[in-house]
Amino acid sequence: MHQADNFIWCAGGCGSGQIHETGAEQPIVICLHCSGRSCFTHEVAWHDGLTCEEFDSLLADPENFRSRIEVENAAVDEEEARRRAQDAVDHALAGRLAADQEAEERARVERDKQARRKAAEAAEKARKTAARRKREDEQSMATMNRTTKKCPGCSWAIEKNSGCSHMTCTYTLPLGGPIVPTRGLDALRLRCGAYLRLDSQFAGLKCRFEFCWGCYRRWGACRNIQCTGPTAS
């Protein structure tokens, strides 16, 4: 029987042999006596982890041989190393992005703080300016009320520096301003007490209203050049 084409001795050394019907097509032979595994092609104990072709390559160049499993493991290790390297790069990039975002947020908060501070300073400056102008206007108005009188004809403020009580208003009426009851224009006064508006033909007309500085009456009703008040004649 040991001379049959598909006969093989057990490579495990149990001394048993058997016919392997499938031959080299299925090279793993399991001993019927000891259950050891042998390689039908190479007649040695089965080379675990290696195909017959790989076992041939191992025998041909044992120093440079790398099995399929070793190649796959190396590829897996290389891919894992690449993944870890990429993870490290991604982590570093994420850290930089987070740091940049944090820095940008701090800068935004600082810009907002400065903008609010400038707005508050501008508002405070505006309040102080408005208060100063109000005080100045009140002081100017008080000074004007103390040192000037309104013309009874056109209501323009007049200041008397010197001279007698006979005043003549020299205010030039603007276009569209009221016509005042001066000489020759009394007929233009309306019954309601208002005055007609100037047409373009009256542009530049002077008020020329005459009144007494002391008693504030039309000049003529009072002709006292030394008049100091309503009781004077």
Side-chain angles (χ1 to χ4, degrees):
M1 184 176 68
H2 65 276
Q3 295 179 351
D5 292 338
N6 291 340
F7 182 85
I8 182 174
W9 292 103
C10 176
C14 69
S16 177
Q18 64 193 60
I19 294 176
H20 185 59
E21 296 292 345
T22 57
E25 293 181 1
Q26 296 181 358
I28 299 177
V29 181
I30 299 177
C31 179
L32 298 176
H33 179 71
C34 68
S35 298
R37 298 195 304 171
S38 303
C39 176
F40 180 83
T41 302
H42 298 96
E43 297 182 353
V44 296
W46 179 249
H47 33 78
D48 290 329
L50 299 176
T51 64
C52 289
E53 290 78 6
E54 290 175 330
F55 190 69
D56 289 336
S57 298
L58 173 62
L59 295 177
D61 188 4
E63 293 182 357
N64 297 319
F65 172 76
R66 296 178 67 194
S67 68
R68 175 180 56 83
I69 298 299
E70 290 175 326
V71 172
E72 291 178 354
N73 289 340
V76 170
D77 292 342
E78 182 179 353
E79 177 62 22
E80 180 64 19
R82 187 198 64 77
R83 186 188 63 79
R84 286 196 299 267
Q86 185 62 45
D87 288 345
V89 172
D90 293 343
H91 182 73
L93 178 60
R96 288 195 297 271
L97 290 176
D100 292 343
Q101 290 175 353
E102 183 179 357
E104 177 61 26
E105 179 63 17
R106 288 197 300 268
R108 185 191 65 79
V109 171
E110 183 62 25
R111 288 194 300 270
D112 291 345
K113 184 186 299 183
Q114 292 180 0
R116 289 193 298 270
R117 178 178 56 80
K118 290 182 179 180
E121 291 176 353
E124 180 63 20
K125 183 178 180 180
R127 282 193 295 270
K128 291 181 178 179
T129 300
R132 177 178 55 80
R133 288 179 178 175
K134 182 179 179 181
R135 290 193 302 270
E136 292 174 351
D137 291 344
E138 290 174 349
Q139 292 172 358
S140 298
M141 184 61 65
T143 300
M144 187 175 68
N145 291 336
R146 186 176 62 254
T147 61
T148 66
K149 291 182 179 180
K150 290 184 178 181
C151 170
C154 66
S155 298
W156 187 255
I158 299 175
E159 183 177 7
K160 182 176 180 294
N161 295 322
S162 62
C164 67
S165 296
H166 182 192
M167 306 297 295
T168 301
C169 179
T170 59
Y171 175 62
T172 302
L173 298 174
L175 179 63
I179 291 180
V180 297
T182 58
R183 298 173 184 173
L185 295 178
D186 290 344
L188 297 178
R189 186 171 183 177
L190 302 180
R191 292 181 181 179
C192 63
Y195 300 100
L196 296 177
R197 293 287 177 180
L198 283 175
D199 294 325
S200 59
Q201 59 180 322
F202 296 109
L205 183 67
K206 291 185 180 297
C207 174
R208 306 298 297 174
F209 189 85
E210 299 180 55
F211 65 98
C212 175
W213 182 266
C215 63
Y216 207 52
R217 292 181 294 172
R218 179 192 293 271
W219 190 256
C222 174
R223 290 182 174 274
N224 182 4
I225 61 174
Q226 301 296 329
C227 181
T228 58
T231 59
S233 58

